[in-house]
Amino acid sequence: MASKTISAGQRQYRLANIRSQRAIIQKYWPLYVISIPGLLYFAIFKYIPLLGSAIAFQNYNIFKGVTGSPWVGLVHFKRLFAYPEFLNILKNTMLIGLYDLVFAFPIPIVLALLLNEIRINRYKRVLQTVIYMPHFLSWVIVGGIIMGLLSPSTGLINQVLERFHLDSIYFLGENSYIRSILIGTGIWKDSGWGTIIYLAAIAGINPDLYEAAEMDGAGRFRQVLAITIPSILPTITILLLLHIGHFLDFGFERVFLFLNPLNSENGEILDTYVYRAGLMDHQYSFTTAIGLFKSLVGLVLLMSGNMLSRKTTGEGLY
């Protein structure tokens, strides 16, 4: 008798749950319709191409295709770590990614805090426009500008050095400078654009908090430390986790423009190596294995960072 009552209750609960779901769908059906193009985009261009990753476990032949190419298992993955050149390129990628995380990631936060303190709106708008502009330049243009500035004969920097009777430096011809150039150009190009999200987060802070802090005698610097930074900390956490997830994706164009045989020892990264080995040397399976390795590392870093963030700050991506 009790079991019949329980089953009847479960049936009624399921029916009520189905009715509530139908009611939600009927109420918000325009939102579901609007989401269909986005879902199709990710399905067609993101998920279906994942099936092509199978060639990482094959000796892929473009004439035989995926179905006709022989399977070789983990041969290409073993080759990755047995290849001295790959290990050096992996070290370059990780070091450049680490430098980008340590030096480039905090700059937009600092810029946003400084811009927020400007009280003259006209000057603030002009300054924002100036720091946003480099983002809209392609890396080809940025590369040309930087190469012109660093030229050993006509570059502005070397002309200044000559004014002080110092020897000119071939910056792009030495391994010791290439990483600093890559990080510095990225900061100049994208830091201003990165402030937009932080400025939006700062704009959402309740002004009453600043008024209460001012009544308690807190100065502007103290207000930034006690109110602004803690309030935008969830935004910083989310963006940091997203940055960590792309730790090994430094960008092909950003590096390829500055790369040459004189600085490739410290400058070549996985993206440029995939271009050289995959497209130019036709090692499709090998470079697909590199791509899977990068994706796996990014997934592990993202999940680890999210778990650590959940335990320490209570905020995370999921």
Side-chain angles (χ1 to χ4, degrees):
M1 193 70 181
S3 62
K4 291 182 179 179
T5 304
I6 293 173
S7 61
Q10 290 177 344
R11 195 178 300 111
Q12 291 178 356
Y13 174 76
R14 289 173 184 171
L15 289 173
N17 195 20
I18 292 172
R19 290 195 190 100
S20 64
Q21 290 177 355
R22 287 178 179 174
I24 292 173
I25 293 173
Q26 290 175 357
K27 183 177 181 180
Y28 298 106
W29 69 266
L31 297 178
Y32 290 104
V33 173
I34 291 173
S35 67
I36 290 175
L39 294 174
L40 289 175
Y41 167 79
F42 279 98
I44 295 172
F45 296 103
K46 300 294 181 180
Y47 289 102
I48 293 178
L50 287 176
L51 299 175
S53 300
I55 68 175
F57 306 94
Q58 297 178 314
N59 274 332
Y60 178 69
N61 188 303
I62 60 174
F63 300 105
K64 295 181 180 179
V66 177
T67 56
S69 299
W71 295 88
V72 295
L74 299 176
V75 169
H76 297 296
F77 293 92
K78 295 177 181 178
R79 179 185 167 194
L80 292 180
F81 300 99
Y83 195 36
E85 185 180 6
F86 172 78
L87 295 177
N88 182 63
I89 293 169
L90 178 61
K91 183 191 76 172
N92 291 340
T93 308
M94 296 185 71
L95 283 175
I96 292 174
L98 180 62
Y99 295 156
D100 188 58
L101 181 64
V102 172
F103 297 107
F105 180 79
I107 299 297
I109 303 173
V110 176
L111 283 176
L113 294 174
L114 293 175
L115 286 171
N116 186 59
E117 296 303 314
I118 298 175
R119 294 292 174 259
I120 304 174
N121 288 330
R122 182 177 298 178
Y123 176 68
K124 183 178 180 179
R125 292 194 195 100
V126 171
L127 189 59
Q128 283 181 287
T129 303
V130 170
I131 65 175
Y132 291 168
M133 283 177 61
H135 173 78
F136 298 98
L137 300 177
S138 69
W139 274 109
V140 175
I141 296 174
V142 173
I145 293 172
I146 300 302
M147 288 178 187
L149 290 173
L150 301 180
S151 172
S153 56
T154 60
L156 177 63
I157 295 178
N158 279 308
Q159 288 183 7
V160 173
L161 292 177
E162 290 177 359
R163 292 279 185 177
F164 290 95
H165 305 288
L166 298 173
D167 295 334
S168 62
I169 301 173
Y170 188 13
F171 291 98
L172 292 174
E174 296 187 24
N175 278 310
S176 56
Y177 292 107
I178 183 61
R179 292 170 184 165
S180 301
I181 293 171
L182 294 174
I183 301 301
T185 52
I187 291 174
W188 176 74
K189 185 177 185 297
D190 292 324
S191 291
W193 186 254
T195 62
I196 294 176
I197 296 177
Y198 297 111
L199 287 172
I202 292 172
I205 300 174
N206 190 346
D208 294 341
L209 297 175
Y210 293 104
E211 293 178 5
E214 192 172 353
M215 291 178 64
D216 290 338
R220 296 302 302 176
F221 184 71
R222 183 62 182 172
Q223 291 176 31
V224 169
L225 294 179
I227 298 175
T228 308
I229 293 179
S231 297
I232 66 172
L233 189 60
T235 303
I236 295 174
T237 302
I238 297 299
L239 293 177
L240 177 62
L241 290 174
L242 292 174
H243 192 100
I244 290 174
H246 294 279
F247 185 74
L248 297 182
D249 294 324
F250 190 70
F252 168 75
E253 308 96 338
R254 183 172 173 178
V255 179
F256 185 74
L257 291 168
F258 299 104
L259 207 61
N260 60 61
L262 298 175
N263 60 31
S264 61
E265 183 179 349
N266 285 354
E268 186 161 30
I269 61 172
L270 289 175
D271 292 328
T272 56
Y273 181 68
V274 165
Y275 167 77
R276 181 162 59 88
L279 295 181
M280 300 185 70
D281 295 341
H282 311 294
Q283 301 181 64
Y284 303 115
S285 295
F286 179 59
T287 50
T288 303
I290 296 176
L292 282 178
F293 170 75
K294 284 176 55 182
S295 300
L296 181 61
V297 171
L299 178 63
V300 171
L301 289 174
L302 180 61
M303 294 180 66
S304 302
N306 187 74
M307 186 184 303
L308 181 62
S309 176
R310 280 286 186 187
K311 289 183 179 180
T312 55
T313 65
E315 301 290 340
L317 285 172
Y318 53 89

